[in-house]
Amino acid sequence: MEFLRRDLNPEQLVDLYRRLLWPRMIEEKMLVLLRQGRISKWFSGIGQEAIAVGATMALQPDEWIMPLHRNLGVFTTRDMPLSRLFKQWQGAQDGYSKGRERSFHFGAREHHICGMISHLGPQLAIADGVALAHKLRKEDKVSLAFTGDGGTSEGDFHEALNTAAVWDLPVIFIIENNGYGLSTPVSEQYRCAQLADRARGYGMESVVIDGNNILEVYDTLRGVREYCIREQKPYLVECMTFRMRGHEEAYGTKYVPKELFEQWAEKDPIANYERWLQQEGLLTAAAIEEIRNDYKTKIESELRIGFDSAPIVVDTELELKDVYAAHPQPLPKGGKGEGPGVSGEERPGVRFIDALKEGLQLSMERHANLVLMGQDIAGYGGAFKITEGFVERFGKGRVRNTPLCESAIVGAALGLSLEGFKSMMEMQFADFVTVGFNQIINNLAKIHYRWGQNADVVIRMPTGGGVGAGPFHSQSNEAWFVHTPGLKVVYPATPEDAKGLLIAAFNDPNPVLYFEHKALYRSVSGPVPEGYYETPIGKARVAREGEDLTVITYGSGVHWALEYAEANPGISLHILDLRTLLPLDYEAIRAAVIKTGKVLLLHEDTLVGGIAGELSAWIAEHCFEHLDGPVLRCASLDTPVPFNLELEKNFLAKARLGSYVEKLMAY
Ligand SMILES: Cc1ncc(C[n+]2csc(CCOP(=O)(O)OP(=O)(O)O)c2C)c(N)n1
């Protein structure tokens, strides 16, 4: 192994040695503790330390790193106290995640480390978002994301690299090619000669380096960092290395040929560097001994603190509270907030789509740090023309066309949030959220609970049927998200709420799924106050006062119920518009049940697993004594949404609303 000193002075060369040795000695101790059953499992980075350490050393301490499961060297090089890391691995209250996360699946803002979720690939696009923040602020900074060779087979790898290339983002992507993904050798993972070759396909520069040579890693990464900042472009670095232990200890290494271990032991990053330092007269055997002894003592003392954690105190209230970031006080309704265009006067007859557009525009004016992203939303104005004219007004930086890659854009939105930006992503159709699902459910929704980082993201979801658009442009999928703690789900039915809830969604620091029914865009008009106001998230509204029967509904269901009431003056319907589906307004639901004692739950979503099931259970549990009949659910058929208008009409819950009302009235 050839080491090139370049411009590094003796202190720097020895410092690199210390940084490299520290995670190795920690892990060697951890292996002993694991055998003694004193710590829980982790994924070993033994043999790969030069990559994590060299790359982290090449960055500024305030540049974000997205490490993976074998990157202890990132955490130690960012000077995380070992005692607290031990607490983290023990699941202690005073670790980095209050006992909620394992090994390296956590982040820490003070160290600019954004920890992984188990799914590996989603890490990469977060770095895109951070780099976009730097680019928009014209800062000379990069972000850096790690992946293993296995992770490069995920779609997230492709999406993140392609987006970084298309948007000219200063991101460094590092592949740690360690020969195996669990038991799968690279020959069963990819067919290119080197993974770095893929960069060409993205229009990106790349390099393959010896990942076991600390000076090569450090020097390359310093140069790559300068390149990314100077050229405002991403760069792919493939580091060749080897996994010297099992995937994790319990998996063993039987599937790896013994000769490979022998070959790679010769290339050990620490032994080789240590030897070179001695040959160069930069370290003596005695000095090495001293460093090692110091580290041993330090490990023991840090361990004592680490194992000295108080037993965890289970506090259900705190567990529930930490799922969401604290919300600043909502603005008063009716335009009483300060800001441009505030008068609070109501205008009759504003279309749903125009109200929504107004809310978006006012939010862009209010929040200079709000970035909009979506397919075709810039010059074209979006599939539904909601952002028409925005790019002229707010510029291409803040109104961004995206490549066709929902997962990367949700990931980038999270990255923007790490840097204090707000963002909106427009799903072209709510149906396409399936390909961004993982990022929403596992990254956005869980990050605040896991390590206190909020995801200040609004995802707009043009949803619903009734427009003859078939199974993949008509679905109601709000129930998927209502089942996910950490998200908020809003679903306006009126123009006034479309505007107010959108403004509220942007003011909320949590991830909000904003459902907007496509069929309401141009068919529904109503009074809308001028200026900037919020419709509070989590508050339902009575859409119609009535005496005979309560309909609890949202979205298009509100209009179906109002239409029915209008056409059937003999039955006095009380209609509750939920407006927010997560969190639900239980007080308003209870009041609506008490009002008539007869409850019909109505939604456009299909029946099984729909929100009506949840509401029905809650009403049965909490309002049983107020009921004069069974709680009925009127929902769409349990089929995909059909294309033919007659079939779709029959599919939709509206077709059966009358018969359900009559059935319930008969009690
Ligand atoms: C989406 C997903 N599929 C499968 C797994 C299980 N899994 C965890 S790590 C791993 C291997 C990863 O290999 P690689 O990316 O090469 O990283 P390495 O572990 O070698 O560092 C697998 C299959 C997972 N965590 N996530």
Side-chain angles (χ1 to χ4, degrees), residues 69-70 118-120 148-151 154 178 180-182 243 247:
H69 48 296
R70 289 187 207 290
S118 294
H119 301 64
L120 312 165
D149 42 276
E154 291 186 35
N178 65 4
Y180 285 82
L182 212 156
R243 202 190 66 203
H247 172 60

Side-chain angles (χ1 to χ4, degrees), residues 308-377:
D308 193 26
S309 285
I312 204 142
V313 179
V314 179
D315 176 349
T316 304
E317 215 169 285
L318 180 70
E319 290 303 291
L320 292 169
K321 181 178 148 280
D322 279 357
V323 172
Y324 294 97
H327 188 342
Q329 283 299 306
L331 291 174
K333 198 183 151 228
K336 297 209 179 62
E338 355 73 71
V342 172
S343 79
E345 265 171 47
E346 285 207 349
R347 292 153 300 159
V350 178
R351 290 187 309 175
F352 191 99
I353 191 165
D354 298 324
L356 201 163
K357 188 169 175 166
E358 232 177 79
L360 193 54
Q361 199 164 305
L362 287 170
S363 298
M364 284 293 273
E365 285 164 9
R366 173 63 62 115
H367 306 290
N369 63 344
L370 172 58
V371 175
L372 310 183
M373 300 181 284
Q375 287 151 30
D376 311 293
I377 69 161

Side-chain angles (χ1 to χ4, degrees), residues 84-115:
R84 190 144 182 230
L85 278 173
F86 266 121
K87 287 173 189 260
Q88 169 66 26
W89 301 328
Q90 297 298 96
Q93 184 88 43
D94 42 358
Y96 284 94
S97 65
K98 300 188 190 173
R100 293 166 185 164
E101 260 292 15
R102 53 193 289 202
S103 59
F104 298 111
H105 294 53
F106 70 95
R109 286 195 65 79
E110 65 271 33
H111 297 282
H112 289 82
I113 290 176
C114 175

